[in-house]
Amino acid sequence: MESNVINKLRSNKNAEINKDFIGEKVVICGWVQKRRDHGSLIFIDIRDRSGIVQVVFDQSISEEAFEIADRLRSEYVVKIEGKVRARPNDNINPEMATGEIELEGYDIEVLAESETPPFLIEDNADVGEDLRLEYRYLDLRRPEMRDALKTKHLVMQKTRQFLTKRDYWEVETPILTRSTPEGARDYLVPSRVNKGKFYALPQSPQLFKQLLMSSGVEKYFQIARCFRDEDLRANRQPEFTQIDIEISFFEQDKFMLEMEEMIKDIFAIGDIEVDLNFDRITYKEAMDNYGSDSPDTRFGMKIKDLSEIFTESKFNVFRNIVNNDGTVRGLKVSGGADFSRGQIDKLEDVVKTYGAKGLAWFAFTDEGVKSPIAKFLSEEEISKLKEKLEVENNDLALLVAADYKTSVTSLGHLRLHLGEKLNLISEDRFDFLWVVDFPLFHYNDEEDRLESEHHPFTAPKVEDIDLLDDDPLNVRAAAYDMVLNGEEIGGGSKRIHRRSLQEKVFRLLKISKAEADEKFGFLLKALDYGTPPHGGVAFGLDRIVMILTGKDSIRDVIAFPKNQKAGSLLTKAPGEVSKSQLDELNLKLDI
RNA sequence: GGGGACGUAGCGAAGUGGUUUAACGCGUCGGCCUGUCACGCCGAAGAUCGCGGGUUCAAAUCCCGUCGUCCUCGCCA
């Protein structure tokens, strides 16, 4: 170690200091984590980004430093010079990374004082989230939050490294762009120069990345901020970050494998091993078996179709539903026969949330079947039910009769609820899979028109193109979602690169020629000038980091997130603006 | 737009089928302490119980309204 440390603000990070430094002088800087005053001996824990080191101030070493140490309080920022020494044998702290050594502090300078913080700066701080968000800069000092920031940084770096090595270019696209129909509600920005006109913030760089393919970029990526003005959830923020990727001369299988390789690299950051060649299941299989297009396959309890049992049933409710395009589906809870009536009522509340009218149940016990509706069913129906669900003694069968979507999605949520409640999900498993063959469209009854399942630029599967005219709802998309533990972490597709097909899809979506020309004319035109076949994907960066860090809330992996009302408790955004600002924009409020 | 939970010192919380001096822990402040690391010991301060209204002899507690935070349905191509 060189000797002239005196003039340096800092010679070492806390975490670097270890037994090899014993006898050396160091200068550290950091925050006062904790002060333990023993009268004529004061221990101070100094925290920096790397970790914590204990400094001892002893009157007999420096009276002056000791007096300053006596006045230190939590979160003061200090510079300390000291000599590294081994701790006495019986005072080694094995809980602490630097627990074998300590600094003998002989000089100290207070770089900044601090008010007493409104909550303790430590992990597991039991504090309301609103207070954490108001004092986010203090919250981020907690090791847990610091580590989340670091993990996100590493994920971004790994992504850039991987894609750069694979010949992708990182290209920026506009934040001020134009509003387009379809999709989420836009965030709008008024234009001062163009009276009465508005920019929209991008919901994703979708159109631009396609234009970059037309531009000959061939392989593009961007760590892109996206904006959607919809209601918030634990895993949804109005602005979030996508790893956005697009390539020309797209070959779906090859591309999907490359993305698996990238994900493998990224998850190595969390010491999570990822096996390539993810399972692929179709959208239909996912909905049939799990009632979700992003199934959690870490446990079984698959949903079964029981409709055919009840086509002739004396139980009117089931028979009528089955014979009117509805369905009866159910799942089995192993060992659930002893659920109390109250517990089952709670399960019924779960399915009711998702539109089911009720939850039928059958408990199979030593004394036979217990169920409020057993008396309406024949022995044959009950035995078929047992057979289909592979029921054994002490099992509980839960059934929902409704239209297909209500039935499977309500049971799908019930399945997740039970999986969590019964502890069927092992937290150390990482089940990656692709969901493929999404429908290209779904039907919106309210507006009486087709809507894109994914987005209007998604290509139909080649073999289904012929169905577009007569049976559009059965056209499958060349689209794929990557799912991890029941969470959609990415999704993409092959895109339409022929104008005629793109125009046809717009027509099917009831987007008029005039509107298509106005809103998407630039894309259509680009398709006229030699746009190569292309496709891509976008991953939810925040969700990936959320899983890597084991957080339950997306807010814990965003440095400065918004609260549920899309506001910042820190900056108080959104805020009011002055009359003159509004005037410049030719805006009048009407509230 | 709908459903639900919560709101009591700086922080976390007990008390809420009517009457208490409104617990307790952490933190803060003062004193003592040479081996602590959840330091210890002694002492102290700190709360008009989110806000407004109502019922009552009496309200943190019951009722109505309102504000805030979170979860959720719808919504999120």
Side-chain angles (χ1 to χ4, degrees):
Chain A
M1 204 66 209
E2 57 107 36
S3 56
N4 186 22
V5 296
I6 306 305
N7 298 319
K8 284 189 179 172
L9 196 53
R10 170 144 91 156
S11 72
N12 292 93
K13 294 181 282 184
N14 288 350
E16 290 172 348
I17 304 169
N18 57 32
K19 282 197 289 192
D20 299 340
F21 283 76
I22 289 169
E24 289 176 10
K25 290 174 182 173
V26 293
V27 184
I28 62 168
C29 286
W31 288 258
V32 174
Q33 176 71 34
K34 189 79 195 175
R35 175 172 154 276
R36 290 178 296 277
D37 182 351
H38 285 246
S40 57
L41 195 64
I42 298 173
F43 298 94
I44 311 271
D45 291 340
I46 300 297
R47 182 192 73 244
D48 68 10
R49 199 179 74 175
S50 72
I52 288 176
V53 162
Q54 172 171 285
V55 185
V56 189
F57 291 93
D58 188 330
Q59 250 167 335
S60 65
I61 290 167
S62 165
E63 183 75 35
E64 204 183 337
F66 181 85
E67 273 172 24
I68 295 172
D70 193 45
R71 294 198 306 270
L72 292 182
R73 293 296 179 267
S74 289
E75 300 306 310
Y76 277 30
V77 181
V78 292
K79 168 189 166 190
I80 291 171
E81 282 179 41
K83 200 164 94 186
V84 180
R85 69 186 191 200
R87 296 204 195 178
N89 259 337
D90 49 348
N91 285 308
I92 286 173
N93 184 349
E95 306 290 308
M96 216 173 153
T98 59
E100 289 187 298
I101 52 97
E102 65 191 7
L103 250 61
E104 185 181 280
Y106 53 78
D107 197 10
I108 178 167
E109 185 185 340
V110 174
L111 302 175
E113 298 189 345
S114 171
E115 297 282 314
T116 301
F119 52 87
L120 296 179
I121 310 298
E122 61 187 27
D123 285 350
N124 309 316
D126 202 358
V127 201
E129 195 177 4
D130 42 352
L131 197 69
R132 288 174 51 205
L133 289 176
E134 184 182 343
Y135 293 91
R136 188 58 155 181
Y137 43 90
L138 299 181
D139 190 36
L140 293 174
R141 288 182 192 172
R142 295 164 48 227
E144 195 185 345
M145 296 301 288
R146 175 199 68 202
D147 291 346
L149 289 181
K150 185 178 177 188
T151 299
K152 196 170 194 179
H153 160 72
L154 292 174
V155 170
M156 292 194 282
Q157 288 313 306
K158 183 57 80 180
T159 301
R160 290 193 161 103
Q161 271 171 26
F162 179 93
L163 292 170
T164 302
K165 235 186 258 167
R166 302 292 176 113
D167 236 10
Y168 288 80
W169 291 351
E170 184 169 8
V171 182
E172 290 185 291
T173 55
I175 292 293
L176 294 176
T177 178
R178 62 171 303 151
S179 181
T180 52
E182 301 275 305
R185 196 176 293 112
D186 285 318
Y187 275 100
L188 298 177
V189 179
S191 166
R192 175 183 56 83
V193 178
N194 301 277
K195 289 181 181 168
K197 294 193 175 171
F198 292 83
Y199 302 97
L201 306 182
Q203 297 179 24
S204 84
Q206 183 62 34
L207 292 166
F208 292 105
K209 69 176 175 176
Q210 292 191 235
L211 291 171
L212 286 170
M213 296 303 103
S214 195
S215 310
V217 167
E218 293 193 21
K219 297 182 108 182
Y220 144 93
F221 82 97
Q222 182 178 192
I223 295 181
R225 196 67 66 83
C226 305
F227 305 86
R228 296 178 190 177
D229 186 5
E230 297 292 349
D231 284 350
L232 284 69
R233 288 287 190 284
N235 63 359
R236 221 197 279 167
Q237 281 275 299
E239 53 179 310
F240 62 98
T241 306
Q242 281 186 347
I243 302 171
D244 196 46
I245 302 174
E246 195 80 3
I247 62 167
S248 296
F249 315 113
F250 171 83
E251 292 170 62
Q252 186 168 329
D253 287 331
K254 203 170 138 192
F255 180 71
M256 286 165 82
L257 184 62
E258 186 166 59
M259 291 304 100
E260 291 179 19
E261 288 169 328
M262 183 182 80
I263 288 294
K264 183 185 171 76
D265 261 21
I266 288 173
F267 276 77
I269 291 164
D271 287 323
I272 293 159
E273 274 208 49
V274 176
D275 295 325
L276 296 180
N277 297 306
F278 298 175
D279 285 343
R280 296 185 189 186
I281 66 172
T282 65
Y283 172 82
K284 183 158 190 328
E285 288 166 343
M287 294 306 292
D288 281 350
N289 292 314
Y290 303 100
S292 165
D293 62 1
S294 55
D296 191 338
T297 53
R298 286 175 297 176
F299 68 106
M301 207 190 278
K302 289 186 186 174
I303 299 165
K304 305 280 187 202
D305 185 359
L306 309 168
S307 305
E308 54 124 7
I309 301 176
F310 301 106
T311 48
E312 307 287 326
S313 180
K314 290 205 177 74
F315 187 48
N316 294 335
V317 179
F318 282 10
R319 193 189 62 239
N320 288 339
I321 286 174
V322 170
N323 293 327
N324 285 288
D325 292 330
T327 182
V328 178
R329 311 243 162 175
L331 49 78
K332 173 187 72 175
V333 185
S334 296
D338 59 350
F339 278 26
S340 70
R341 193 57 210 256
Q343 284 173 305
I344 292 175
D345 285 349
K346 287 217 174 94
L347 300 180
E348 183 162 40
D349 288 343
V350 172
V351 296
K352 279 182 170 170
T353 310
Y354 300 94
K357 294 277 188 289
L359 182 69
W361 57 272
F362 300 84
F364 297 91
T365 69
D366 291 332
E367 296 98 66
V369 190
K370 286 187 192 162
S371 168
I373 61 172
K375 60 182 175 228
F376 302 111
L377 301 178
S378 68
E379 296 234 341
E380 196 198 343
E381 284 169 334
I382 303 250
S383 76
K384 274 192 185 166
L385 177 72
K386 285 175 78 168
E387 192 186 319
K388 277 252 176 185
L389 285 174
E390 295 167 27
V391 168
E392 290 171 30
N393 219 13
N394 289 324
D395 289 353
L396 177 71
L398 299 168
L399 279 59
V400 171
D403 62 274
Y404 173 79
K405 199 181 165 210
T406 303
S407 172
V408 295
T409 55
S410 62
L411 283 167
H413 282 100
L414 180 65
R415 175 181 171 270
L416 290 175
H417 176 84
L418 286 163
E420 205 163 303
K421 223 181 117 151
L422 301 174
N423 264 321
L424 303 177
I425 303 169
S426 47
E427 295 293 328
D428 54 351
R429 262 180 72 171
F430 292 86
D431 278 16
F432 290 90
L433 59 102
W434 291 104
V435 177
V436 297
D437 291 355
F438 281 81
L440 189 63
F441 304 113
H442 60 256
Y443 185 70
N444 181 330
D445 331 284
E446 275 171 37
E447 297 185 27
D448 182 32
R449 66 177 191 105
L450 296 177
E451 282 182 342
S452 292
E453 180 71 31
H454 195 178
H455 58 56
F457 320 106
T458 304
K461 290 188 83 164
V462 178
E463 57 266 44
D464 288 0
I465 288 185
D466 293 341
L467 297 174
L468 274 173
D469 290 312
D470 299 330
D471 191 8
L473 282 170
N474 274 318
V475 174
R476 290 166 300 167
Y480 37 83
D481 278 1
M482 189 186 283
V483 173
L484 167 58
N485 294 351
E487 187 100 34
E488 178 196 328
I489 59 170
S493 65
K494 181 183 164 195
R495 325 295 184 193
I496 295 169
H497 77 289
R498 289 186 203 284
R499 179 170 185 143
S500 56
L501 183 57
Q502 185 66 71
E503 284 179 335
K504 179 172 218 167
V505 168
F506 285 152
R507 270 203 307 280
L508 288 164
L509 294 170
K510 293 198 178 160
I511 297 173
S512 70
K513 178 105 178 43
E515 191 183 11
D517 280 346
E518 194 209 314
K519 301 286 175 62
F520 300 116
F522 58 98
L523 177 75
L524 293 169
K525 211 185 233 181
L527 297 183
D528 282 339
Y529 287 92
T531 297
H534 59 284
V537 72
F539 290 97
L541 173 70
D542 311 286
R543 287 188 185 174
I544 287 173
V545 176
M546 214 173 131
I547 294 169
L548 272 175
T549 53
K551 306 287 188 197
D552 294 323
S553 166
I554 196 171
R555 295 183 295 276
D556 284 342
V557 297
I558 294 175
F560 300 104
K562 306 283 193 290
N563 71 3
Q564 198 167 35
K565 288 182 84 178
S568 163
L569 293 172
L570 176 69
T571 64
K572 305 287 190 278
E576 290 176 358
V577 296
S578 67
K579 174 86 169 62
S580 62
Q581 283 174 295
L582 288 175
D583 288 346
E584 276 186 323
L585 296 166
N586 304 101
L587 292 180
K588 268 202 196 88
L589 297 182
D590 177 20
I591 41 176

